Amino acid sequence: MPLRNKKPIIAVLGMTCCEGCRVAIVDLGERFLKLAGHIIVGDFPFIQEHAKKKSFDLTFIEGTPILPSQIEEIKEIRRRSKVLVPIGACACLGGIQEIKNYRGDKENCLQYVYKNVDQIANPDIKPISAYVPVDFELTGCPINKDELFEFTKKILAGDVFRVPQRPICYECQRKQNECLLQKGLPCIGPVILGGCGAPCPSVGYPCDGCRGPLQKTGKNFDNLKKILNNHGYNEREIEMITERFGGRDQIENKLKPQNTNENKN
Amino acid sequence: MKIKIDHVAKIEGHGGFIGEIVKGDVKAAIFMVNEGARLLEGILRDRHYEEASQIAARICGVCPVVHTLTSIKALEDAMDVAVASETIYLRKLLMLGQIINSHALHLFFFSLADFFGDKDDLALIKKFPSYTKNALQIRELGNFLIDKIGGRSIHPLAAEIGGFKKWPTEETLNEILKMAQAALPSAIRLANLFARLKYPDLQTSFNWASLVNENEYAIYEGKVRWNGKNEEEQIISEGAFMKLINEFQIKANPQTKRSHFEEEPYLVGALARLNNNASLLNLEAKKILELSGVKLPSRNPFHNILGQAVEIAHCVEEIVTLIGQRKELKLSKVKNAQWQPQIGRGYGAIEAPRGLLFYSYETKDNGDIKECNIITPTAQNIARLEEDLKAWLPDLSKKASRKRENMIKMLIRSYDPCLTCATH
């Protein structure tokens, strides 16, 4: 899917989420401005009053559809985008809003928040790939902006971009962090796709899987669970961690791993 | 006359406007928030106390620091955790980084174009290359500070109940100090640009509320001061205030709650803080305010933009002062508070970039979340914004439709609404 247009048209759009991933794009700062000189920013409502173009060579999309209009919109966006790339844990895994699915009491959640529940959309939360085919995914909560930048550069040059299939532990060890799992903390880094630079374990916060699982976790998740059980964490406590960013269904192989991780030519 | 704006760009989240005027009477002025409900309070129930503040942070990617910290404050209140002064010191630094970060985004990338008729920031950036550099430098300072103290610039995670998971080194604080000293001239320059802008002269009468604290320009802690439009005032604790807020829904836009206090809308945010606390601003910030010629208390909602500009300078000065004074602190020797999970009920409030943010929690005996409520700044400001729009529409209805639409958008943006926060 390389973009060989002279000036490719890129859009940055969003569904319901915290919008941190588009902030991360703006946080590229000078690099963003430089990049913007080589492309046409087709639609980026964060910095533009009106869309410049209707069709895009490359669309980054964050968030999950919740409103009925968003469920329509994502299909529309797919039609108008040559390459569609969901970004962030919400778009790739479901995000924190998917916790309600796992709880199994979404009506109760709705009634807890609102006295009047009429007309308030409350669908099951699904990643973008459950609604439309996607071409690549850049996950994390938030995304790693450097990864997105590298991806964009590569794809504009017609190169292949891969997220190496290495667990969080790879980067964590290179930073010479003390292993939190060995310390008895509930870190699920061994089965989670690296590429974030391991910011969480670097401050003593166990990895909670915002980037979703490695493509092939094999028996590693079962082994990890055994270690966690031995540390005293029960099944439910482990589930609560894998559910936090919506990745439990992917980690438990009930849904295909979202990180396809290779753009095909 | 019906006025419909489907989408207001350059705000945080998706929103539009619907207005209706019949024979000079404004029948409707509704800020339509088009965000799905993520049901945060619903999903926070039964979650572990350690993760609650990280889940809460995901309410907003523009101001995650304030959600994490307010959630932590409310849990500390619920479980009787008293933190060390060094913890408060670091949290204040995080708050300062958050405010300059968010304000720089709003002022430069969202609002400034309204004053020059540009529709695209990329055009604005070409027109003002050196102000662009200033804005990026300020954001970089904010990001660097939050990254180094909080562990990540978006969704920081080092702060926890009782203290910090990891304390920054002296070297890190020195780096932040150097960056802040270097960014101060940029902050002043950018703020001066906003001090010299001509703001639309919209005088409305409104109530406002902010934290107050006699020792400082309140951001992290204090009592809530509410000012009524007839010059009455109340100063009460954050928990007492939160309990008195009346959150309600409207039929046209039910998923985004509105809020009243004393049965009326009220303003929160930079202008409310300026109206209450301007005497406690740092020196350069005071000069910028003076240059603007604006007399306080101001009742012009557009001055929220000016307030944010003044605060950018104030906060950068404050970072320089706070780190400059740190010699008495020995961060390497600080210990987190000792505490036990317990049944309790607690409240927390903070001055988010967009205004007062409230959290309340009830905890179970193991510390898990039993009950939870979150009232965000924008959920408080929307009712106020709608009153302003109502008051302004008769005037605006006399203008050409494109001009009218631009003015409505400009007023909406001056509030710096965050719709993902408002709906959560």
Side-chain angles (χ1 to χ4, degrees), chain B residues 266-313:
Chain B
Y266 56 102
L267 180 93
V268 297
L271 181 56
R273 292 190 288 259
L274 216 56
N275 276 349
N276 279 348
N277 299 322
S279 65
L280 292 157
L281 285 167
N282 286 323
L283 191 66
E284 295 295 339
K286 275 188 179 150
K287 283 191 211 160
I288 292 155
L289 184 59
E290 211 177 289
L291 174 73
S292 76
V294 168
K295 295 277 166 280
L296 299 176
S298 160
R299 307 206 181 241
N300 179 350
F302 283 103
H303 288 156
N304 190 52
I305 299 171
L306 172 71
Q308 289 192 343
V310 170
E311 285 188 343
I312 282 194

Side-chain angles (χ1 to χ4, degrees), chain B residues 91 109 121 149 176 193 195 235 253 267 285 296 333 339 350 417:
Chain B
R91 289 182 185 171
F109 292 99
D121 282 347
I149 297 178
I176 297 169
L193 168 70
I235 300 180
N253 194 211
L267 180 93
L296 299 176
K333 290 187 182 151
W339 61 282
I350 230 166

Side-chain angles (χ1 to χ4, degrees), chain B residues 357-411:
Chain B
L357 169 66
F358 294 94
Y359 272 67
S360 72
Y361 283 117
E362 269 188 55
T363 50
K364 303 177 193 173
D365 53 4
N366 63 358
D368 284 358
I369 308 302
K370 186 174 172 217
E371 309 280 348
C372 157
N373 193 26
I374 301 163
I375 305 178
T376 63
T378 302
Q380 294 162 81
N381 265 340
I382 290 179
R384 186 57 251 159
L385 167 62
E386 288 173 331
E387 287 294 306
D388 282 346
L389 288 163
K390 216 177 269 175
W392 209 23
L393 274 191
D395 261 4
L396 292 180
S397 66
K398 294 169 200 144
K399 299 195 186 298
S401 72
R402 175 162 298 184
K403 171 94 178 153
R404 178 169 61 233
E405 194 170 298
N406 284 341
M407 298 300 268
I408 290 170
K409 287 179 181 170
M410 188 175 180
L411 178 60

Side-chain angles (χ1 to χ4, degrees), chain B residues 95-382:
Chain B
M95 285 298 296
L96 295 168
Q98 173 77 96
I99 288 178
I100 60 169
N101 207 334
S102 173
H103 283 0
L105 180 72
H106 173 243
L107 289 175
F108 192 78
F109 292 99
F110 291 177
S111 259
L112 187 60
D114 282 331
F115 293 85
F116 297 97
D118 290 307
K119 299 292 173 203
D120 189 327
D121 282 347
L122 298 170
L124 188 80
I125 284 162
K126 272 197 190 133
K127 204 188 270 180
F128 297 111
S130 71
Y131 282 119
T132 306
K133 281 214 166 92
N134 297 149
L136 290 180
Q137 189 181 5
I138 294 160
R139 271 195 70 81
E140 267 159 33
L141 167 63
N143 282 342
F144 184 80
L145 185 156
I146 298 168
D147 183 36
K148 291 294 172 186
I149 297 178
R152 182 164 57 198
S153 67
I154 300 171
H155 302 318
L157 31 76
E160 66 174 357
I161 299 171
F164 276 79
K165 288 191 183 298
K166 191 178 175 187
W167 296 79
T169 60
E170 285 290 305
E171 201 185 351
T172 299
L173 290 177
N174 279 335
E175 276 179 89
I176 297 169
L177 176 62
K178 266 188 209 146
M179 267 183 97
Q181 283 165 334
L184 186 57
S186 292
I188 294 167
R189 185 165 180 271
L190 190 69
N192 277 334
L193 168 70
F194 283 88
R196 289 190 300 261
L197 290 178
K198 194 174 168 350
Y199 295 92
D201 186 25
L202 172 64
Q203 297 292 331
T204 61
S205 87
F206 56 76
N207 310 336
W208 69 85
S210 80
L211 288 183
V212 290
N213 180 334
E214 57 189 22
N215 302 317
E216 59 190 7
Y217 191 86
I219 285 170
Y220 179 74
E221 57 191 352
K223 288 192 165 179
V224 179
R225 174 167 158 174
W226 170 88
N227 292 68
K229 52 180 171 278
N230 303 317
E231 302 198 1
E232 66 272 40
E233 64 170 57
Q234 295 185 33
I235 300 180
I236 51 180
S237 76
E238 50 202 18
F241 190 89
M242 187 182 183
K243 277 191 268 187
L244 291 170
I245 297 172
N246 174 29
E247 288 187 280
F248 61 96
Q249 293 170 268
I250 64 168
K251 233 183 179 163
N253 194 211
Q255 79 274 26
T256 307
K257 293 177 193 168
R258 274 67 172 164
S259 313
H260 281 171
F261 183 84
E262 294 286 2
E263 293 170 26
E264 286 180 356
Y266 56 102
L267 180 93
V268 297
L271 181 56
R273 292 190 288 259
L274 216 56
N275 276 349
N276 279 348
N277 299 322
S279 65
L280 292 157
L281 285 167
N282 286 323
L283 191 66
E284 295 295 339
K286 275 188 179 150
K287 283 191 211 160
I288 292 155
L289 184 59
E290 211 177 289
L291 174 73
S292 76
V294 168
K295 295 277 166 280
L296 299 176
S298 160
R299 307 206 181 241
N300 179 350
F302 283 103
H303 288 156
N304 190 52
I305 299 171
L306 172 71
Q308 289 192 343
V310 170
E311 285 188 343
I312 282 194
H314 169 82
C315 291
V316 179
E317 286 180 276
E318 192 71 7
I319 294 168
V320 172
T321 313
L322 276 185
I323 302 185
Q325 285 172 354
R326 80 189 182 284
K327 292 225 163 79
E328 303 128 45
L329 297 159
K330 292 202 172 69
L331 291 180
S332 55
K333 290 187 182 151
V334 185
K335 289 217 163 64
N336 284 358
Q338 295 289 312
W339 61 282
Q340 292 295 325
Q342 56 181 278
I343 293 177
R345 177 197 287 259
Y347 298 88
I350 230 166
E351 280 293 343
R354 295 164 181 77
L356 277 166
L357 169 66
F358 294 94
Y359 272 67
S360 72
Y361 283 117
E362 269 188 55
T363 50
K364 303 177 193 173
D365 53 4
N366 63 358
D368 284 358
I369 308 302
K370 186 174 172 217
E371 309 280 348
C372 157
N373 193 26
I374 301 163
I375 305 178
T376 63
T378 302
Q380 294 162 81
N381 265 340
I382 290 179

Side-chain angles (χ1 to χ4, degrees), chain A residues 61-79:
Chain A
I61 183 140
E62 63 170 348
T64 58
I66 291 184
L67 301 172
S69 58
Q70 289 175 325
I71 294 172
E72 287 311 304
E73 197 189 347
I74 187 61
K75 294 173 193 158
E76 172 72 22
I77 290 169
R78 172 70 274 188
R79 277 195 287 275

Side-chain angles (χ1 to χ4, degrees), chain A residues 200-211:
Chain A
C200 305
S202 299
V203 294
Y205 187 98
C207 171
D208 49 6
C210 74
R211 284 175 64 88

